[in-house]
Amino acid sequence: AQSVTQLDSHVSVSEGTPVLLRCNYSSSYSPSLFWYVQHPNKGLQLLLKYTSAATLVKGINGFEAEFKKSETSFHLTKPSAHMSDAAEYFCVVSDLRNNDMRFGAGTRLTVKP
Amino acid sequence: DAGITQSPRHKVTETGTPVTLRCHQTENHRYMYWYRQDPGHGLRLIHYSYGVKDTDKGEVSDGYSVSRSKTEDFLLTLESATSSQTSVYFCAISESRAGNQPQHFGDGTRLSIL
């Protein structure tokens, strides 16, 4: 069975500085990986997905993530944080046989002025 | 945004009462899902549906039942609510169950059981 570990429950950055949200996964088969963002009192919005094509995936709002099979990681980055990036972020894994998605516990991103 | 509407958005009820949450979609997607979100756990799958009248259990299905009589509607029922079922509930939809297909989420229902 697949699983996800988000290594930080809370990350705090200053506006204009880089963002790094870390995610490690475990999967017996070829994984698909997703990052979702959740703003307060809203549902989850898809940021980006990896599905065995290019290992560097670009998403919305300037976010990107790199799939590293040797490290079983799928970290989310953004070069310059904006106040509107403050939210909770979820890393998700599923394998290509089915859509049994497993969510990480989430990382809350705070952006300081 | 995917056309997913959850109702009600907020509900407070008492232990032992029945509760039904509704998810309505306008995308004509075959697959629908119910999750609960609790601090420190991310989202966990309760039940899902792969067609009208076709449903299956997820990771945390005890105490919950579901029904899907129309493609667009997926109902989640707590037959006799308990305080441990206080949570935020999310409905999701997807076009297929292939692992590379993302799911799209509604805005959630915040349920408090006193």
Side-chain angles (χ1 to χ4, degrees):
Chain A
Q2 60 267 35
S3 66
V4 166
T5 301
Q6 292 184 241
L7 298 171
D8 306 290
S9 60
H10 185 214
V11 170
S12 181
V13 301
S14 297
E15 189 174 22
T17 64
V19 175
L20 170 64
L21 305 183
R22 299 182 295 164
C23 172
N24 286 352
Y25 71 90
S26 171
S27 179
S28 302
Y29 296 88
S30 298
S32 289
L33 292 153
F34 308 85
W35 276 99
Y36 284 85
V37 60
Q38 184 182 30
H39 292 279
N41 299 313
K42 300 294 284 184
L44 279 70
Q45 179 186 14
L46 180 68
L47 273 179
L48 50 81
K49 66 176 184 179
Y50 165 78
T51 57
S52 75
T55 57
L56 182 62
V57 181
K58 294 187 183 301
I60 62 172
N61 300 335
F63 284 94
E64 63 181 38
E66 186 171 8
F67 173 72
K68 292 187 176 180
K69 186 176 181 179
S70 61
E71 299 177 9
T72 61
S73 69
F74 190 59
H75 301 335
L76 182 70
T77 60
K78 183 174 181 178
S80 176
H82 191 272
M83 295 298 292
S84 61
D85 295 328
E88 186 138 21
Y89 292 79
F90 292 94
C91 182
V92 182
V93 64
S94 71
D95 69 57
L96 290 179
R97 298 168 303 159
N98 59 54
N99 204 359
D100 182 17
M101 302 180 88
R102 296 292 171 141
F103 289 75
T107 297
R108 180 163 300 280
L109 176 65
T110 300
V111 182
K112 298 175 290 186
Chain B
D1 290 345
I4 306 168
T5 304
Q6 291 188 231
S7 59
R9 292 293 317 278
H10 303 271
K11 187 172 182 66
V12 180
T13 190
E14 294 183 346
T15 300
T17 61
V19 177
T20 296
L21 308 182
R22 179 178 183 243
C23 177
H24 178 80
Q25 61 144 329
T26 58
E27 305 297 319
N28 201 35
H29 284 355
R30 179 179 176 186
Y31 293 87
M32 300 184 75
Y33 310 82
W34 277 108
Y35 290 89
R36 61 179 289 173
Q37 182 181 27
D38 303 291
H41 290 279
L43 273 70
R44 291 178 292 174
L45 182 65
I46 303 171
H47 282 280
Y48 71 95
S49 170
Y50 48 97
V52 173
K53 299 190 189 306
D54 293 324
T55 65
D56 205 350
K57 295 179 179 180
E59 181 185 359
V60 290
S61 59
D62 287 349
Y64 302 94
S65 62
V66 291
S67 65
R68 191 169 179 198
S69 58
K70 296 186 291 185
T71 298
E72 58 266 35
D73 289 326
F74 192 33
L75 304 181
L76 176 70
T77 297
L78 291 65
E79 300 289 350
S80 177
T82 67
S83 58
S84 65
Q85 294 176 311
T86 292
S87 187
V88 182
Y89 291 85
F90 287 96
C91 174
I93 64 174
S94 67
E95 291 186 77
S96 78
R97 195 150 165 79
N100 59 0
Q101 289 296 310
Q103 295 176 14
H104 303 281
F105 290 81
D107 284 343
T109 294
R110 185 173 297 276
L111 178 63
S112 297
I113 300 165
L114 308 178

